[in-house]
Amino acid sequence: MQDVVRLPQRHAGAGELFQLLRDGRPRTRADLAAATGQARSTIAARVDVLMAAGLVAPAGEASSTGGRPPATFAFRPSARVVLAVDLGASHARLAVTDLASTVLAETEATLAIADGPETVLAWVVEHGRALVLEAGREPGDLVSVGVGLPGPVEHSTGRPINPPIMPAWDDVDVRGILAAALHAEVQVDNDVNLMALGEHRTAWPDVDDMLFVKIATGIGSGIISDGRLRRGAQGAAGDIGHIAVPGAQDVPCRCGNVGCLEAVASGRALAEGLRREGLEVRDGADVVALVRSGDLAAGRAVRQAGRELGAVLAACVSLLNPSLVVIGGVVAEAGEHLIAGIREVVYQRSLPLATQHLRIVTSQARSQVGILGASAMAVDHVLSPGAIDGLLDSMLGSERTSGVG
């Protein structure tokens, strides 16, 4: 006889109940009944099925006012793992996390997105599998994968759409390729959206309206509004890097237009400008190193880039009215030179009401922000009410079809 997981049959609605437990706080069956208004027998059946699935575990006993202390139950983040993938123009970062987005193992490498999907996704699969084992888990423990790409992504399909810095990636089925290789659910999004999500979840969970701006090889932004990530109709919301900047009409951009913010204020644009002045710089990281070393030309260039960015952000602040603007990406490491330029223009150009309580700060999560956002997206997908009910249905189906071997 094969070993089978015995699950109670009355599990409908367990996914919704599970959402109350995701914060990790131990609760009794009575607590859950009071919060939901459901009968204790219904709560007991749903807690039992979540425990049988390994998603919930006993968490000790609550204090008693008389009689036997009631048992408490809490979310068990170690039940499964997810793979978080952060791909940039020239880097790749991977991490295996638990279901609370705690990093268990991670790796990174220099990897050009321009090498194409076959090369890059093969690297993700190979190192993703190895990282699961390095985290001390089995391949079957991997239930979800979150991927951030440095270009426009149609979130509903997981396909990049005409990405300017990703040759040969247009309309590639990233989700399908990785799902087939890793045997897990896959979610794909623009990298800046995931940075916004990661920064919001880890550093500013109580901020409902936030704009995250990445300044690296390119420029983009992610929008948190009413506490939720906003992608727009086709997933293209926040693409501020290709907004035209006044006075830059003759500067060509990689997207095919001229005068884009990215063409005058990105790490790549800064490096090109400083090379024309005779300085030896390859990219945004080199620009930041020069700023930190006290180079005056680099400092002036970064501050001016901040002003150019501030002109675009002033319009964003007036339109979206965020209470927080977070600046991330490699160029953000230049610190106050960049932030001062941004603040100078945003506070000057935006209406007083919009900037009355506005904070403009650098990222707290820094290089891990994309990984944390990719993990959060993957976890949210696999722990949604429908996904939990689907998991329980599949486990019950396995029980029914298991038998004598």
Side-chain angles (χ1 to χ4, degrees):
M1 180 73 71
Q2 296 178 354
D3 292 333
V4 266
V5 178
R6 296 293 177 186
L7 295 175
Q9 298 295 311
R10 294 174 57 202
H11 71 277
E16 288 288 353
L17 178 67
F18 176 72
Q19 305 309 307
L20 293 175
L21 294 163
R22 281 188 60 181
D23 62 5
R25 185 164 66 87
R27 292 175 173 83
T28 65
R29 292 185 177 92
D31 292 334
L32 295 170
T36 63
Q38 296 168 355
R40 288 204 185 190
S41 59
T42 301
I43 294 295
R46 292 173 179 174
V47 167
D48 287 347
V49 77
L50 290 169
M51 290 181 63
L55 294 168
V56 170
E61 296 178 337
S63 57
S64 174
T65 56
R68 183 177 178 179
T72 64
F73 306 90
F75 173 37
R76 181 172 167 259
S78 62
R80 304 286 193 280
V81 296
V82 303
L83 176 66
V85 182
D86 174 25
L87 298 175
S90 58
H91 77 266
R93 295 188 183 94
L94 301 182
V96 171
T97 80
D98 65 13
L99 297 179
S101 292
T102 301
V103 174
L104 306 178
E106 59 186 320
T107 188
E108 64 178 289
T110 299
L111 184 66
I113 200 75
D115 288 345
E118 185 174 343
T119 297
V120 173
L121 296 182
W123 185 91
V124 169
V125 170
E126 177 187 354
H127 288 82
R129 287 170 175 165
L131 212 57
V132 170
L133 298 178
E134 183 182 323
R137 306 302 294 257
E138 297 297 322
D141 291 338
L142 180 66
V143 291
S144 189
V145 181
V147 183
L149 296 176
V153 173
E154 188 177 52
H155 181 66
S156 61
T157 64
R159 294 174 181 262
I161 304 297
N162 296 320
I165 67 170
M166 299 170 63
W169 284 82
D170 184 39
D171 205 35
V172 170
D173 186 12
V174 176
R175 177 187 294 172
I177 292 169
L178 292 180
L182 295 171
H183 307 292
E185 296 277 346
V186 178
Q187 296 292 302
V188 187
D189 206 343
N190 172 265
D191 61 344
V192 190
N193 280 345
L194 297 187
M195 289 179 170
L197 186 60
E199 187 79 22
H200 182 247
R201 292 286 178 87
T202 59
W204 309 97
D206 296 326
V207 173
D208 288 336
D209 298 281
M210 182 186 101
L211 190 66
F212 184 96
V213 182
K214 174 192 175 184
I215 311 171
T217 303
I219 296 176
S221 72
I223 302 166
I224 302 292
S225 180
D226 295 329
R228 295 180 59 190
L229 178 65
R230 304 298 178 177
R231 297 182 172 93
Q234 272 74 47
D239 196 1
I240 64 170
H242 300 287
I243 293 176
V245 177
Q249 290 88 343
D250 60 341
V251 183
C253 181
R254 287 178 296 174
C255 73
N257 287 324
V258 293
C260 295
L261 177 64
E262 184 174 300
V264 297
S266 66
R268 178 173 177 168
L270 285 167
E272 289 175 351
L274 291 173
R275 281 199 297 271
R276 288 194 293 270
E277 294 186 33
L279 296 174
E280 294 185 9
V281 288
R282 295 165 299 174
D283 52 26
D286 287 348
V287 174
V288 170
L290 281 176
V291 172
R292 288 179 167 179
S293 71
D295 185 273
L296 294 179
R300 284 195 301 268
V302 168
R303 182 148 186 159
Q304 181 57 32
R307 294 188 185 103
E308 304 282 12
L309 184 60
V312 171
L313 287 180
C316 296
V317 167
S318 296
L319 180 67
L320 300 173
N321 190 207
S323 61
L324 178 70
V325 175
V326 180
I327 310 298
V330 64
V331 180
E333 300 295 326
E336 283 304 310
H337 287 274
L338 180 70
I339 295 295
I342 294 172
R343 288 172 176 157
E344 176 186 334
V345 178
V346 169
Y347 290 123
Q348 179 185 15
R349 297 281 295 273
S350 298
L351 291 174
L353 181 60
T355 57
Q356 184 177 8
H357 301 294
L358 177 67
R359 289 175 290 175
I360 302 174
V361 301
T362 54
S363 170
Q364 293 189 20
R366 297 182 180 270
S367 63
Q368 269 201 325
V369 66
I371 283 296
L372 296 173
S375 172
M377 177 178 66
V379 168
D380 284 350
H381 176 72
V382 80
L383 294 186
S384 67
I388 293 296
D389 287 340
L391 170 67
L392 300 177
D393 280 337
S394 66
M395 295 179 72
L396 284 170
S398 296
E399 176 186 352
R400 295 186 192 105
T401 57
S402 298
V404 178

